[in-house]
Amino acid sequence: GENVEQHPSTLSVQEGDSAVIKCTYSDSASNYFPWYKQELGKGPQLIIDIRSNVGEKKDQRIAVTLNKTAKHFSLHITETQPEDSAVYFCANNAGGTSYGKLTFGQGTILTVHP
Amino acid sequence: GAGVSQSPSNKVTEKGKDVELRCDPISGHTALYWYRQSLGQGLEFLIYFQGNSAPDKSGLPSDRFSAERTGGSVSTLTIQRTQQEDSAVYLCASSLGSGLETQYFGPGTRLLVL
């Protein structure tokens, strides 16, 4: 089945620095790549997503890049703030399904130090 | 407006007992998903509902797991004869339509099987 590898597992940065999280996948049929943020005791929340017909998407301090040839995609957070501290998950639509059957990475614990 | 709600928030049960987990999706959302999140792991897809039917049950780990959805709204995930390996957080998500749309997650039910 589909496998999504996410790195690093933990990331510690100083406030104002940038943070980058990378994911690789194996299923070439995947065409939807969302990123979720999960705070302690809460369910994941979508922060940005990208589809296979574009290579980059930005939303204020958050950006995602996709390289379909290399089968990897990355999350970039600029000017990090303490409230960005959370667990971040990448995901894709397993088997290229037209519905939201998602395969998730193992997660990255991001800590932003004031 | 109200988000996705799940109940109970926590459940402790003894090995061999049956448990029922409930999900109330956002009103009007036709798609509903169940995922399982084991300690320190990413989310694992269990089942997908479109309306009251479940076209994809491929993630259910065994025949002890079943789910239903009634009235195109509330869903119940039932685990029969619980085992210790069933201990996890069970998350429910809903989306407006059946395509690759934003999934809104509930806070989850933490299940502990003793």
Side-chain angles (χ1 to χ4, degrees), chain A residues 31-32 36 38 41 43-44 46 51 89 93 97-102 104-105, chain B residues 33 35 37 40-43 45 48 56 58 98-100 102-103 105-107 110:
Chain A
N31 57 2
Y32 175 62
Y36 284 84
Q38 186 175 29
L46 180 75
R51 297 169 196 264
F89 292 96
N93 58 326
T97 58
S98 61
Y99 53 95
K101 178 181 181 180
L102 300 178
F104 285 79
Chain B
Y33 303 83
Y35 293 88
Q37 185 173 29
Q41 298 296 313
L43 285 71
F45 168 84
Y48 157 60
D56 192 338
S58 62
S98 59
L100 296 169
T102 300
Q103 292 184 33
F105 282 83
R110 281 168 177 71

PDB file of all heavy atoms in Angstrom, chain A residues 31-32 36 38 41 43-44 46 51 89 93 97-102 104-105, chain B residues 33 35 37 40-43 45 48 56 58 98-100 102-103 105-107 110:
ATOM      1  N   ASN A  31      -2.798  12.661  -6.171  1.00  0.00           N
ATOM      2  CA  ASN A  31      -2.861  13.981  -6.792  1.00  0.00           C
ATOM      3  C   ASN A  31      -3.385  15.060  -5.849  1.00  0.00           C
ATOM      4  O   ASN A  31      -3.715  16.168  -6.282  1.00  0.00           O
ATOM      5  CB  ASN A  31      -3.716  13.939  -8.071  1.00  0.00           C
ATOM      6  CG  ASN A  31      -5.119  13.428  -7.806  1.00  0.00           C
ATOM      7  OD1 ASN A  31      -5.487  13.141  -6.676  1.00  0.00           O
ATOM      8  ND2 ASN A  31      -5.903  13.312  -8.866  1.00  0.00           N
ATOM      9  N   TYR A  32      -3.468  14.739  -4.561  1.00  0.00           N
ATOM     10  CA  TYR A  32      -3.945  15.708  -3.579  1.00  0.00           C
ATOM     11  C   TYR A  32      -3.089  15.577  -2.336  1.00  0.00           C
ATOM     12  O   TYR A  32      -2.916  14.466  -1.807  1.00  0.00           O
ATOM     13  CB  TYR A  32      -5.419  15.437  -3.249  1.00  0.00           C
ATOM     14  CG  TYR A  32      -6.002  16.296  -2.160  1.00  0.00           C
ATOM     15  CD1 TYR A  32      -6.073  17.681  -2.304  1.00  0.00           C
ATOM     16  CD2 TYR A  32      -6.470  15.736  -0.984  1.00  0.00           C
ATOM     17  CE1 TYR A  32      -6.606  18.472  -1.305  1.00  0.00           C
ATOM     18  CE2 TYR A  32      -7.012  16.517   0.017  1.00  0.00           C
ATOM     19  CZ  TYR A  32      -7.069  17.883  -0.144  1.00  0.00           C
ATOM     20  OH  TYR A  32      -7.605  18.664   0.847  1.00  0.00           O
ATOM     21  N   TYR A  36      -1.849  19.099   7.709  1.00  0.00           N
ATOM     22  CA  TYR A  36      -2.691  19.323   8.870  1.00  0.00           C
ATOM     23  C   TYR A  36      -1.844  19.713  10.077  1.00  0.00           C
ATOM     24  O   TYR A  36      -0.711  19.241  10.243  1.00  0.00           O
ATOM     25  CB  TYR A  36      -3.498  18.058   9.215  1.00  0.00           C
ATOM     26  CG  TYR A  36      -4.669  17.819   8.298  1.00  0.00           C
ATOM     27  CD1 TYR A  36      -4.506  17.172   7.086  1.00  0.00           C
ATOM     28  CD2 TYR A  36      -5.941  18.261   8.639  1.00  0.00           C
ATOM     29  CE1 TYR A  36      -5.583  16.956   6.240  1.00  0.00           C
ATOM     30  CE2 TYR A  36      -7.030  18.047   7.808  1.00  0.00           C
ATOM     31  CZ  TYR A  36      -6.833  17.392   6.608  1.00  0.00           C
ATOM     32  OH  TYR A  36      -7.906  17.195   5.772  1.00  0.00           O
ATOM     33  N   GLN A  38      -2.025  19.729  14.269  1.00  0.00           N
ATOM     34  CA  GLN A  38      -2.761  19.167  15.383  1.00  0.00           C
ATOM     35  C   GLN A  38      -2.197  19.699  16.702  1.00  0.00           C
ATOM     36  O   GLN A  38      -1.037  19.456  17.027  1.00  0.00           O
ATOM     37  CB  GLN A  38      -2.723  17.635  15.374  1.00  0.00           C
ATOM     38  CG  GLN A  38      -3.607  17.002  16.443  1.00  0.00           C
ATOM     39  CD  GLN A  38      -3.661  15.494  16.346  1.00  0.00           C
ATOM     40  OE1 GLN A  38      -2.721  14.846  15.889  1.00  0.00           O
ATOM     41  NE2 GLN A  38      -4.769  14.897  16.786  1.00  0.00           N
ATOM     42  N   GLY A  41      -4.627  17.606  22.322  1.00  0.00           N
ATOM     43  CA  GLY A  41      -6.000  17.352  22.733  1.00  0.00           C
ATOM     44  C   GLY A  41      -7.050  17.716  21.706  1.00  0.00           C
ATOM     45  O   GLY A  41      -8.253  17.642  21.989  1.00  0.00           O
ATOM     46  N   GLY A  43      -8.400  17.670  17.370  1.00  0.00           N
ATOM     47  CA  GLY A  43      -8.284  16.988  16.100  1.00  0.00           C
ATOM     48  C   GLY A  43      -7.445  17.800  15.133  1.00  0.00           C
ATOM     49  O   GLY A  43      -7.244  19.002  15.313  1.00  0.00           O
ATOM     50  N   PRO A  44      -6.913  17.169  14.096  1.00  0.00           N
ATOM     51  CA  PRO A  44      -6.115  17.896  13.103  1.00  0.00           C
ATOM     52  C   PRO A  44      -6.939  18.949  12.383  1.00  0.00           C
ATOM     53  O   PRO A  44      -8.150  18.795  12.211  1.00  0.00           O
ATOM     54  CB  PRO A  44      -5.677  16.791  12.137  1.00  0.00           C
ATOM     55  CG  PRO A  44      -5.831  15.509  12.889  1.00  0.00           C
ATOM     56  CD  PRO A  44      -6.988  15.727  13.804  1.00  0.00           C
ATOM     57  N   LEU A  46      -6.830  21.401   8.824  1.00  0.00           N
ATOM     58  CA  LEU A  46      -6.166  21.670   7.552  1.00  0.00           C
ATOM     59  C   LEU A  46      -5.569  23.070   7.552  1.00  0.00           C
ATOM     60  O   LEU A  46      -6.230  24.037   7.915  1.00  0.00           O
ATOM     61  CB  LEU A  46      -7.168  21.560   6.406  1.00  0.00           C
ATOM     62  CG  LEU A  46      -6.607  21.823   5.012  1.00  0.00           C
ATOM     63  CD1 LEU A  46      -5.781  20.631   4.547  1.00  0.00           C
ATOM     64  CD2 LEU A  46      -7.721  22.108   4.015  1.00  0.00           C
ATOM     65  N   ARG A  51      -2.626  20.553  -5.114  1.00  0.00           N
ATOM     66  CA  ARG A  51      -3.017  19.496  -6.047  1.00  0.00           C
ATOM     67  C   ARG A  51      -1.929  19.347  -7.094  1.00  0.00           C
ATOM     68  O   ARG A  51      -1.104  20.231  -7.281  1.00  0.00           O
ATOM     69  CB  ARG A  51      -4.375  19.817  -6.659  1.00  0.00           C
ATOM     70  CG  ARG A  51      -5.438  19.839  -5.575  1.00  0.00           C
ATOM     71  CD  ARG A  51      -6.771  20.385  -5.991  1.00  0.00           C
ATOM     72  NE  ARG A  51      -7.561  20.702  -4.798  1.00  0.00           N
ATOM     73  CZ  ARG A  51      -8.472  19.890  -4.262  1.00  0.00           C
ATOM     74  NH1 ARG A  51      -8.727  18.724  -4.826  1.00  0.00           N
ATOM     75  NH2 ARG A  51      -9.137  20.247  -3.186  1.00  0.00           N
ATOM     76  N   PHE A  89       1.176  17.172  10.166  1.00  0.00           N
ATOM     77  CA  PHE A  89       1.072  15.945   9.377  1.00  0.00           C
ATOM     78  C   PHE A  89       0.921  16.273   7.895  1.00  0.00           C
ATOM     79  O   PHE A  89       0.102  17.119   7.523  1.00  0.00           O
ATOM     80  CB  PHE A  89      -0.145  15.118   9.794  1.00  0.00           C
ATOM     81  CG  PHE A  89      -0.063  14.531  11.173  1.00  0.00           C
ATOM     82  CD1 PHE A  89      -0.655  15.176  12.249  1.00  0.00           C
ATOM     83  CD2 PHE A  89       0.588  13.326  11.394  1.00  0.00           C
ATOM     84  CE1 PHE A  89      -0.598  14.637  13.527  1.00  0.00           C
ATOM     85  CE2 PHE A  89       0.655  12.775  12.661  1.00  0.00           C
ATOM     86  CZ  PHE A  89       0.059  13.432  13.737  1.00  0.00           C
ATOM     87  N   ASN A  93      -3.831  11.457  -1.077  1.00  0.00           N
ATOM     88  CA  ASN A  93      -4.996  10.613  -1.336  1.00  0.00           C
ATOM     89  C   ASN A  93      -4.521   9.278  -1.896  1.00  0.00           C
ATOM     90  O   ASN A  93      -4.122   9.147  -3.037  1.00  0.00           O
ATOM     91  CB  ASN A  93      -6.018  11.285  -2.254  1.00  0.00           C
ATOM     92  CG  ASN A  93      -5.447  11.676  -3.596  1.00  0.00           C
ATOM     93  OD1 ASN A  93      -4.275  12.057  -3.711  1.00  0.00           O
ATOM     94  ND2 ASN A  93      -6.269  11.598  -4.632  1.00  0.00           N
ATOM     95  N   THR A  97      -7.500   8.322  -5.156  1.00  0.00           N
ATOM     96  CA  THR A  97      -8.955   8.279  -5.029  1.00  0.00           C
ATOM     97  C   THR A  97      -9.560   9.659  -5.245  1.00  0.00           C
ATOM     98  O   THR A  97      -8.936  10.681  -4.942  1.00  0.00           O
ATOM     99  CB  THR A  97      -9.385   7.769  -3.647  1.00  0.00           C
ATOM    100  OG1 THR A  97      -8.814   8.618  -2.631  1.00  0.00           O
ATOM    101  CG2 THR A  97      -8.920   6.340  -3.404  1.00  0.00           C
ATOM    102  N   SER A  98     -10.775   9.695  -5.727  1.00  0.00           N
ATOM    103  CA  SER A  98     -11.476  10.959  -5.968  1.00  0.00           C
ATOM    104  C   SER A  98     -12.131  11.485  -4.697  1.00  0.00           C
ATOM    105  O   SER A  98     -12.672  12.587  -4.677  1.00  0.00           O
ATOM    106  CB  SER A  98     -12.539  10.772  -7.038  1.00  0.00           C
ATOM    107  OG  SER A  98     -13.496   9.805  -6.607  1.00  0.00           O
ATOM    108  N   TYR A  99     -12.096  10.686  -3.635  1.00  0.00           N
ATOM    109  CA  TYR A  99     -12.634  11.120  -2.349  1.00  0.00           C
ATOM    110  C   TYR A  99     -11.492  11.179  -1.348  1.00  0.00           C
ATOM    111  O   TYR A  99     -10.353  10.829  -1.653  1.00  0.00           O
ATOM    112  CB  TYR A  99     -13.737  10.161  -1.872  1.00  0.00           C
ATOM    113  CG  TYR A  99     -13.342   8.713  -1.847  1.00  0.00           C
ATOM    114  CD1 TYR A  99     -12.872   8.114  -0.682  1.00  0.00           C
ATOM    115  CD2 TYR A  99     -13.431   7.930  -2.991  1.00  0.00           C
ATOM    116  CE1 TYR A  99     -12.491   6.788  -0.665  1.00  0.00           C
ATOM    117  CE2 TYR A  99     -13.050   6.610  -2.984  1.00  0.00           C
ATOM    118  CZ  TYR A  99     -12.594   6.033  -1.815  1.00  0.00           C
ATOM    119  OH  TYR A  99     -12.211   4.713  -1.807  1.00  0.00           O
ATOM    120  N   GLY A 100     -11.792  11.632  -0.130  1.00  0.00           N
ATOM    121  CA  GLY A 100     -10.738  11.961   0.813  1.00  0.00           C
ATOM    122  C   GLY A 100     -10.165  10.838   1.634  1.00  0.00           C
ATOM    123  O   GLY A 100      -9.947  11.011   2.846  1.00  0.00           O
ATOM    124  N   LYS A 101      -9.885   9.720   1.013  1.00  0.00           N
ATOM    125  CA  LYS A 101      -9.205   8.639   1.728  1.00  0.00           C
ATOM    126  C   LYS A 101      -7.736   9.013   1.816  1.00  0.00           C
ATOM    127  O   LYS A 101      -6.991   8.921   0.837  1.00  0.00           O
ATOM    128  CB  LYS A 101      -9.361   7.331   0.973  1.00  0.00           C
ATOM    129  CG  LYS A 101      -8.633   6.146   1.608  1.00  0.00           C
ATOM    130  CD  LYS A 101      -8.838   4.901   0.757  1.00  0.00           C
ATOM    131  CE  LYS A 101      -8.151   3.700   1.375  1.00  0.00           C
ATOM    132  NZ  LYS A 101      -8.367   2.487   0.530  1.00  0.00           N
ATOM    133  N   LEU A 102      -7.301   9.472   2.973  1.00  0.00           N
ATOM    134  CA  LEU A 102      -5.969  10.026   3.138  1.00  0.00           C
ATOM    135  C   LEU A 102      -5.019   9.059   3.825  1.00  0.00           C
ATOM    136  O   LEU A 102      -5.389   8.343   4.751  1.00  0.00           O
ATOM    137  CB  LEU A 102      -6.037  11.328   3.948  1.00  0.00           C
ATOM    138  CG  LEU A 102      -6.872  12.459   3.346  1.00  0.00           C
ATOM    139  CD1 LEU A 102      -6.888  13.662   4.270  1.00  0.00           C
ATOM    140  CD2 LEU A 102      -6.357  12.854   1.968  1.00  0.00           C
ATOM    141  N   PHE A 104      -1.515   9.319   5.915  1.00  0.00           N
ATOM    142  CA  PHE A 104      -0.788  10.355   6.637  1.00  0.00           C
ATOM    143  C   PHE A 104       0.655   9.952   6.906  1.00  0.00           C
ATOM    144  O   PHE A 104       0.967   8.764   7.082  1.00  0.00           O
ATOM    145  CB  PHE A 104      -1.459  10.627   7.990  1.00  0.00           C
ATOM    146  CG  PHE A 104      -2.730  11.420   7.893  1.00  0.00           C
ATOM    147  CD1 PHE A 104      -3.924  10.819   7.523  1.00  0.00           C
ATOM    148  CD2 PHE A 104      -2.741  12.776   8.175  1.00  0.00           C
ATOM    149  CE1 PHE A 104      -5.102  11.549   7.434  1.00  0.00           C
ATOM    150  CE2 PHE A 104      -3.909  13.519   8.094  1.00  0.00           C
ATOM    151  CZ  PHE A 104      -5.095  12.901   7.718  1.00  0.00           C
ATOM    152  N   GLY A 105       1.536  10.968   6.971  1.00  0.00           N
ATOM    153  CA  GLY A 105       2.872  10.762   7.480  1.00  0.00           C
ATOM    154  C   GLY A 105       2.833  10.582   8.990  1.00  0.00           C
ATOM    155  O   GLY A 105       1.769  10.694   9.613  1.00  0.00           O
TER     156      GLY A 105
ATOM    157  N   TYR B  33     -15.693  10.461   7.510  1.00  0.00           N
ATOM    158  CA  TYR B  33     -14.549   9.546   7.566  1.00  0.00           C
ATOM    159  C   TYR B  33     -14.235   9.205   9.024  1.00  0.00           C
ATOM    160  O   TYR B  33     -14.360  10.051   9.910  1.00  0.00           O
ATOM    161  CB  TYR B  33     -13.300  10.204   6.955  1.00  0.00           C
ATOM    162  CG  TYR B  33     -13.466  10.682   5.537  1.00  0.00           C
ATOM    163  CD1 TYR B  33     -14.036  11.924   5.253  1.00  0.00           C
ATOM    164  CD2 TYR B  33     -13.047   9.905   4.469  1.00  0.00           C
ATOM    165  CE1 TYR B  33     -14.183  12.375   3.955  1.00  0.00           C
ATOM    166  CE2 TYR B  33     -13.181  10.342   3.153  1.00  0.00           C
ATOM    167  CZ  TYR B  33     -13.753  11.583   2.912  1.00  0.00           C
ATOM    168  OH  TYR B  33     -13.896  12.007   1.615  1.00  0.00           O
ATOM    169  N   TYR B  35     -10.935   7.734  11.266  1.00  0.00           N
ATOM    170  CA  TYR B  35      -9.510   7.432  11.296  1.00  0.00           C
ATOM    171  C   TYR B  35      -9.144   6.961  12.698  1.00  0.00           C
ATOM    172  O   TYR B  35      -9.843   7.255  13.675  1.00  0.00           O
ATOM    173  CB  TYR B  35      -8.667   8.679  10.977  1.00  0.00           C
ATOM    174  CG  TYR B  35      -8.793   9.213   9.578  1.00  0.00           C
ATOM    175  CD1 TYR B  35      -9.791  10.138   9.250  1.00  0.00           C
ATOM    176  CD2 TYR B  35      -7.918   8.810   8.569  1.00  0.00           C
ATOM    177  CE1 TYR B  35      -9.908  10.647   7.958  1.00  0.00           C
ATOM    178  CE2 TYR B  35      -8.022   9.325   7.278  1.00  0.00           C
ATOM    179  CZ  TYR B  35      -9.017  10.232   6.993  1.00  0.00           C
ATOM    180  OH  TYR B  35      -9.119  10.720   5.707  1.00  0.00           O
ATOM    181  N   GLN B  37      -5.773   6.915  15.399  1.00  0.00           N
ATOM    182  CA  GLN B  37      -4.453   7.478  15.656  1.00  0.00           C
ATOM    183  C   GLN B  37      -3.872   6.790  16.885  1.00  0.00           C
ATOM    184  O   GLN B  37      -4.335   7.014  18.007  1.00  0.00           O
ATOM    185  CB  GLN B  37      -4.540   8.994  15.880  1.00  0.00           C
ATOM    186  CG  GLN B  37      -3.194   9.675  16.045  1.00  0.00           C
ATOM    187  CD  GLN B  37      -3.304  11.185  16.093  1.00  0.00           C
ATOM    188  OE1 GLN B  37      -4.315  11.742  16.525  1.00  0.00           O
ATOM    189  NE2 GLN B  37      -2.268  11.873  15.633  1.00  0.00           N
ATOM    190  N   GLY B  40       1.613   8.513  19.207  1.00  0.00           N
ATOM    191  CA  GLY B  40       2.797   8.970  18.495  1.00  0.00           C
ATOM    192  C   GLY B  40       2.828   8.626  17.024  1.00  0.00           C
ATOM    193  O   GLY B  40       3.873   8.755  16.387  1.00  0.00           O
ATOM    194  N   GLN B  41       1.694   8.217  16.476  1.00  0.00           N
ATOM    195  CA  GLN B  41       1.654   7.818  15.067  1.00  0.00           C
ATOM    196  C   GLN B  41       0.759   8.749  14.262  1.00  0.00           C
ATOM    197  O   GLN B  41       0.005   9.555  14.800  1.00  0.00           O
ATOM    198  CB  GLN B  41       1.132   6.384  14.947  1.00  0.00           C
ATOM    199  CG  GLN B  41       2.001   5.353  15.634  1.00  0.00           C
ATOM    200  CD  GLN B  41       3.382   5.261  15.004  1.00  0.00           C
ATOM    201  OE1 GLN B  41       3.513   5.185  13.782  1.00  0.00           O
ATOM    202  NE2 GLN B  41       4.418   5.303  15.819  1.00  0.00           N
ATOM    203  N   GLY B  42       0.848   8.598  12.969  1.00  0.00           N
ATOM    204  CA  GLY B  42      -0.038   9.328  12.083  1.00  0.00           C
ATOM    205  C   GLY B  42      -1.419   8.697  12.093  1.00  0.00           C
ATOM    206  O   GLY B  42      -1.667   7.696  12.759  1.00  0.00           O
ATOM    207  N   LEU B  43      -2.303   9.284  11.344  1.00  0.00           N
ATOM    208  CA  LEU B  43      -3.667   8.788  11.287  1.00  0.00           C
ATOM    209  C   LEU B  43      -3.790   7.663  10.270  1.00  0.00           C
ATOM    210  O   LEU B  43      -3.169   7.706   9.210  1.00  0.00           O
ATOM    211  CB  LEU B  43      -4.618   9.926  10.903  1.00  0.00           C
ATOM    212  CG  LEU B  43      -4.936  10.955  11.979  1.00  0.00           C
ATOM    213  CD1 LEU B  43      -3.763  11.853  12.282  1.00  0.00           C
ATOM    214  CD2 LEU B  43      -6.140  11.786  11.572  1.00  0.00           C
ATOM    215  N   PHE B  45      -6.582   5.548   8.026  1.00  0.00           N
ATOM    216  CA  PHE B  45      -7.950   5.541   7.492  1.00  0.00           C
ATOM    217  C   PHE B  45      -8.668   4.243   7.880  1.00  0.00           C
ATOM    218  O   PHE B  45      -8.110   3.147   7.773  1.00  0.00           O
ATOM    219  CB  PHE B  45      -7.902   5.671   5.974  1.00  0.00           C
ATOM    220  CG  PHE B  45      -9.206   5.400   5.278  1.00  0.00           C
ATOM    221  CD1 PHE B  45     -10.161   6.394   5.158  1.00  0.00           C
ATOM    222  CD2 PHE B  45      -9.482   4.143   4.741  1.00  0.00           C
ATOM    223  CE1 PHE B  45     -11.361   6.149   4.502  1.00  0.00           C
ATOM    224  CE2 PHE B  45     -10.671   3.890   4.093  1.00  0.00           C
ATOM    225  CZ  PHE B  45     -11.617   4.889   3.969  1.00  0.00           C
ATOM    226  N   TYR B  48     -15.074   5.219   4.971  1.00  0.00           N
ATOM    227  CA  TYR B  48     -15.606   6.425   4.338  1.00  0.00           C
ATOM    228  C   TYR B  48     -17.091   6.234   4.074  1.00  0.00           C
ATOM    229  O   TYR B  48     -17.504   5.206   3.525  1.00  0.00           O
ATOM    230  CB  TYR B  48     -14.854   6.678   3.036  1.00  0.00           C
ATOM    231  CG  TYR B  48     -15.574   7.510   1.983  1.00  0.00           C
ATOM    232  CD1 TYR B  48     -15.972   8.807   2.237  1.00  0.00           C
ATOM    233  CD2 TYR B  48     -15.819   6.968   0.716  1.00  0.00           C
ATOM    234  CE1 TYR B  48     -16.617   9.559   1.249  1.00  0.00           C
ATOM    235  CE2 TYR B  48     -16.451   7.721  -0.275  1.00  0.00           C
ATOM    236  CZ  TYR B  48     -16.851   9.011  -0.003  1.00  0.00           C
ATOM    237  OH  TYR B  48     -17.477   9.758  -0.973  1.00  0.00           O
ATOM    238  N   ASP B  56     -16.225   2.631   0.897  1.00  0.00           N
ATOM    239  CA  ASP B  56     -14.856   2.203   1.174  1.00  0.00           C
ATOM    240  C   ASP B  56     -14.737   1.857   2.649  1.00  0.00           C
ATOM    241  O   ASP B  56     -14.723   2.741   3.500  1.00  0.00           O
ATOM    242  CB  ASP B  56     -13.852   3.290   0.782  1.00  0.00           C
ATOM    243  CG  ASP B  56     -12.411   2.787   0.788  1.00  0.00           C
ATOM    244  OD1 ASP B  56     -12.129   1.780   1.475  1.00  0.00           O
ATOM    245  OD2 ASP B  56     -11.569   3.402   0.118  1.00  0.00           O
ATOM    246  N   SER B  58     -12.200  -0.304   3.478  1.00  0.00           N
ATOM    247  CA  SER B  58     -10.957  -1.060   3.365  1.00  0.00           C
ATOM    248  C   SER B  58     -10.020  -0.914   4.560  1.00  0.00           C
ATOM    249  O   SER B  58      -9.136  -1.742   4.752  1.00  0.00           O
ATOM    250  CB  SER B  58     -10.216  -0.659   2.089  1.00  0.00           C
ATOM    251  OG  SER B  58      -9.860   0.718   2.138  1.00  0.00           O
ATOM    252  N   SER B  98     -18.257  14.908  -1.673  1.00  0.00           N
ATOM    253  CA  SER B  98     -17.570  13.622  -1.736  1.00  0.00           C
ATOM    254  C   SER B  98     -16.212  13.703  -2.430  1.00  0.00           C
ATOM    255  O   SER B  98     -15.537  12.696  -2.557  1.00  0.00           O
ATOM    256  CB  SER B  98     -18.438  12.606  -2.478  1.00  0.00           C
ATOM    257  OG  SER B  98     -18.705  13.084  -3.785  1.00  0.00           O
ATOM    258  N   GLY B  99     -15.820  14.887  -2.861  1.00  0.00           N
ATOM    259  CA  GLY B  99     -14.548  15.015  -3.552  1.00  0.00           C
ATOM    260  C   GLY B  99     -13.388  15.233  -2.605  1.00  0.00           C
ATOM    261  O   GLY B  99     -13.478  14.952  -1.402  1.00  0.00           O
ATOM    262  N   LEU B 100     -12.302  15.731  -3.146  1.00  0.00           N
ATOM    263  CA  LEU B 100     -11.100  16.007  -2.354  1.00  0.00           C
ATOM    264  C   LEU B 100     -11.253  17.383  -1.719  1.00  0.00           C
ATOM    265  O   LEU B 100     -10.675  18.364  -2.185  1.00  0.00           O
ATOM    266  CB  LEU B 100      -9.871  15.918  -3.246  1.00  0.00           C
ATOM    267  CG  LEU B 100      -9.619  14.531  -3.824  1.00  0.00           C
ATOM    268  CD1 LEU B 100      -8.549  14.588  -4.895  1.00  0.00           C
ATOM    269  CD2 LEU B 100      -9.237  13.542  -2.733  1.00  0.00           C
ATOM    270  N   THR B 102     -11.824  19.869   1.988  1.00  0.00           N
ATOM    271  CA  THR B 102     -11.343  20.009   3.356  1.00  0.00           C
ATOM    272  C   THR B 102     -12.104  19.081   4.286  1.00  0.00           C
ATOM    273  O   THR B 102     -13.339  19.075   4.297  1.00  0.00           O
ATOM    274  CB  THR B 102     -11.512  21.457   3.835  1.00  0.00           C
ATOM    275  OG1 THR B 102     -10.771  22.313   2.974  1.00  0.00           O
ATOM    276  CG2 THR B 102     -11.017  21.610   5.268  1.00  0.00           C
ATOM    277  N   GLN B 103     -11.341  18.318   5.050  1.00  0.00           N
ATOM    278  CA  GLN B 103     -11.945  17.472   6.067  1.00  0.00           C
ATOM    279  C   GLN B 103     -11.827  18.195   7.413  1.00  0.00           C
ATOM    280  O   GLN B 103     -10.750  18.642   7.789  1.00  0.00           O
ATOM    281  CB  GLN B 103     -11.247  16.111   6.136  1.00  0.00           C
ATOM    282  CG  GLN B 103     -11.487  15.270   4.891  1.00  0.00           C
ATOM    283  CD  GLN B 103     -10.897  13.882   4.980  1.00  0.00           C
ATOM    284  OE1 GLN B 103     -10.839  13.269   6.044  1.00  0.00           O
ATOM    285  NE2 GLN B 103     -10.454  13.366   3.847  1.00  0.00           N
ATOM    286  N   PHE B 105     -12.082  17.815  11.342  1.00  0.00           N
ATOM    287  CA  PHE B 105     -11.971  16.745  12.319  1.00  0.00           C
ATOM    288  C   PHE B 105     -12.617  17.106  13.643  1.00  0.00           C
ATOM    289  O   PHE B 105     -12.589  18.265  14.079  1.00  0.00           O
ATOM    290  CB  PHE B 105     -10.497  16.416  12.587  1.00  0.00           C
ATOM    291  CG  PHE B 105      -9.864  15.582  11.515  1.00  0.00           C
ATOM    292  CD1 PHE B 105      -9.370  16.154  10.356  1.00  0.00           C
ATOM    293  CD2 PHE B 105      -9.754  14.208  11.678  1.00  0.00           C
ATOM    294  CE1 PHE B 105      -8.773  15.377   9.369  1.00  0.00           C
ATOM    295  CE2 PHE B 105      -9.154  13.418  10.698  1.00  0.00           C
ATOM    296  CZ  PHE B 105      -8.673  14.002   9.543  1.00  0.00           C
ATOM    297  N   GLY B 106     -13.168  16.086  14.292  1.00  0.00           N
ATOM    298  CA  GLY B 106     -13.606  16.230  15.659  1.00  0.00           C
ATOM    299  C   GLY B 106     -12.430  16.074  16.603  1.00  0.00           C
ATOM    300  O   GLY B 106     -11.307  15.796  16.164  1.00  0.00           O
ATOM    301  N   PRO B 107     -12.665  16.231  17.911  1.00  0.00           N
ATOM    302  CA  PRO B 107     -11.580  16.142  18.885  1.00  0.00           C
ATOM    303  C   PRO B 107     -11.141  14.713  19.184  1.00  0.00           C
ATOM    304  O   PRO B 107     -10.105  14.501  19.812  1.00  0.00           O
ATOM    305  CB  PRO B 107     -12.179  16.782  20.130  1.00  0.00           C
ATOM    306  CG  PRO B 107     -13.646  16.544  19.990  1.00  0.00           C
ATOM    307  CD  PRO B 107     -13.937  16.617  18.519  1.00  0.00           C
ATOM    308  N   ARG B 110     -10.708   8.997  22.990  1.00  0.00           N
ATOM    309  CA  ARG B 110      -9.544   8.246  23.461  1.00  0.00           C
ATOM    310  C   ARG B 110     -10.036   6.949  24.080  1.00  0.00           C
ATOM    311  O   ARG B 110     -10.725   6.970  25.099  1.00  0.00           O
ATOM    312  CB  ARG B 110      -8.773   9.067  24.485  1.00  0.00           C
ATOM    313  CG  ARG B 110      -7.911  10.109  23.853  1.00  0.00           C
ATOM    314  CD  ARG B 110      -7.354  11.127  24.829  1.00  0.00           C
ATOM    315  NE  ARG B 110      -6.490  12.054  24.150  1.00  0.00           N
ATOM    316  CZ  ARG B 110      -6.904  12.995  23.308  1.00  0.00           C
ATOM    317  NH1 ARG B 110      -8.200  13.140  23.069  1.00  0.00           N
ATOM    318  NH2 ARG B 110      -6.046  13.787  22.707  1.00  0.00           N
TER     319      ARG B 110
END
